[in-house]
Amino acid sequence: MATNQKEDDNKNNGDGELGLSLSLKSPQVINEDDKEEMANFAPVQNKLQRSELSGVPNPIASPLNRKARVSVRARCQGATMNDGCQWRKYGQKIAKGNPCPRAYYRCTVAPGCPVRKQVQRCLEDMSILITTYEGTHNHPLPVGATAMASTASAEASFMLVDSSINPLTQPSFASYYKYPSTIMSRQPSSTNINPSDPSKGNIGDPSQKLVATSSHEMGFSRSSSWMSSNNNASPRGDKSLAENVSAIALDPKFTFAVAAAISSLIAKEGENIASSSSTNNWILESLSANTSDKKGLRQSP
DNA sequence: CGCCTTTGACCCGCGC
DNA sequence: GCGCGGGTCAAAGGCG
């Protein structure tokens, strides 16, 4: 029931999450790593169009808004993650190849809100919940979500660097939102490349991981200074990337804060993001990638 | 009573 | 053209 569901969600807000994987995708360009996941959700685009045609009120629906999509992976024992929004379940299917049912939720915070989410357990690790948000909220986020979103966005301040943009010259995601405190760059997994040097060719490698540095702690229960693993830019310099990321990933608040943050950002600037992604493949890769083995989390299969 | 979940049916796109 | 699979609809029933 709804009450039980909410209780589960709340319960799982407090514990049980060990990490997450989060990605902001433009379905127009799909990396190899994302093929399977995107295959799982790709038909949504057409279905959303169909929904519009079938008379579902969707005052802000547009191709740009429809393409806003955020995928969040988090350890969660409950049926869903509580991200601060209200969701109504409108369907459930057992997808081929995954015995775990996929649940479909619609945002009910505001009537006609086009945002939907799909929730499915990871086949390879049943403790991981894959939540895919799609669409743009046409309403202010609830207090809880807004608080989490503002916390995460202001403190973590995600900057998306895509395959063709020079992070130093191109207005970034972070600059859109006027959160200048963070430097984020794609880091190659094996080579030592200074993110400030685009000539090194690190931009555009889909295998590269997005990492962020924050000028101060995120307000979570653990120190959450996000550091590049190899540029030694840390003002603290006393924690390895793995330790830092692990600390972040271990904090359940972070999971939901990030989810809410991205959702909020999309709500605010969905068109900006989408228009930017029309020429680029925006991908916010997992922050937990480096600790995925440890935590049992995996990147997109 | 209102809102929710459940669940079978239906619709549509895609591959063959 | 047909079958399959994913996504959505909507009726039915439950709960607070």
Side-chain angles (χ1 to χ4, degrees):
Chain A
M1 283 314 290
T3 302
N4 293 337
Q5 181 62 64
K6 288 172 183 173
E7 287 173 355
D8 287 343
D9 291 345
N10 292 334
K11 196 184 307 176
N12 285 293
N13 275 346
D15 53 35
E17 285 76 29
L18 297 177
L20 86 168
S21 171
L22 185 150
S23 59
L24 178 62
K25 302 176 188 302
S26 166
Q28 294 172 330
V29 182
I30 301 170
N31 285 342
E32 289 294 323
D33 290 346
D34 296 319
K35 272 187 176 179
E36 181 171 337
E37 184 174 347
M38 295 308 292
N40 288 339
F41 299 111
V44 169
Q45 305 305 320
N46 294 331
K47 299 304 178 183
L48 288 176
Q49 293 174 7
R50 178 191 161 212
S51 296
E52 295 163 21
L53 293 174
S54 65
V56 174
N58 195 354
I60 66 168
S62 70
L64 296 179
N65 289 332
R66 280 198 306 270
K67 290 181 179 180
R69 176 183 293 167
V70 177
S71 178
V72 178
R73 292 166 183 239
R75 285 193 180 279
C76 182
Q77 299 306 313
T80 65
M81 291 192 334
N82 185 352
D83 47 24
C85 290
Q86 269 192 310
W87 301 95
R88 174 179 175 171
K89 188 176 185 178
Y90 67 88
Q92 179 171 309
K93 274 282 190 181
I94 297 181
K96 190 178 182 181
N98 190 339
C100 305
R102 177 182 299 167
Y104 302 90
Y105 295 86
R106 184 175 292 144
C107 179
T108 60
V109 173
C113 179
V115 176
R116 298 178 184 190
K117 74 172 180 180
Q118 300 176 3
V119 178
Q120 186 174 28
R121 294 222 168 262
C122 178
L123 176 61
E124 298 176 4
D125 188 341
M126 304 291 276
S127 66
I128 296 176
L129 208 58
I130 302 173
T131 304
T132 300
Y133 298 87
E134 185 144 345
T136 304
H137 291 283
N138 63 352
H139 55 83
L141 289 176
V143 174
T146 302
M148 288 191 294
S150 61
T151 298
S153 59
E155 303 287 343
S157 169
F158 293 99
M159 176 195 293
L160 302 183
V161 181
D162 77 280
S163 58
S164 61
I165 291 177
N166 180 339
L168 296 180
T169 60
Q170 183 75 17
S172 67
F173 198 59
S175 66
Y176 288 151
Y177 299 103
K178 300 178 174 60
Y179 295 135
S181 65
T182 295
I183 300 169
M184 181 179 282
S185 62
R186 280 189 178 274
Q187 296 291 329
S189 56
S190 58
T191 57
N192 186 4
I193 295 175
N194 187 335
S196 66
D197 185 359
S199 67
K200 298 295 185 181
N202 58 323
I203 305 300
D205 181 350
S207 69
Q208 292 165 356
K209 304 296 187 294
L210 266 182
V211 296
T213 56
S214 177
S215 59
H216 48 292
E217 294 183 7
M218 297 182 66
F220 299 132
S221 60
R222 295 173 185 240
S223 172
S224 305
S225 180
W226 300 4
M227 310 313 300
S228 167
S229 62
N230 49 18
N231 63 4
N232 290 325
S234 169
R236 297 170 183 264
D238 54 353
K239 276 193 172 184
S240 69
L241 172 66
E243 288 170 334
N244 283 315
V245 174
S246 176
I248 296 168
L250 280 169
D251 195 320
K253 292 179 183 178
F254 176 77
T255 301
F256 302 107
V258 171
I262 299 301
S263 181
S264 174
L265 292 175
I266 289 174
K268 291 176 183 175
E269 300 288 348
E271 292 195 4
N272 281 348
I273 298 169
S275 61
S276 297
S277 65
S278 65
T279 55
N280 303 291
N281 179 24
W282 292 100
I283 297 177
L284 180 59
E285 283 290 356
S286 166
L287 291 171
S288 63
N290 288 341
T291 56
S292 60
D293 290 341
K294 253 191 270 184
K295 302 301 173 185
L297 284 177
R298 304 173 68 96
Q299 288 294 94
S300 299

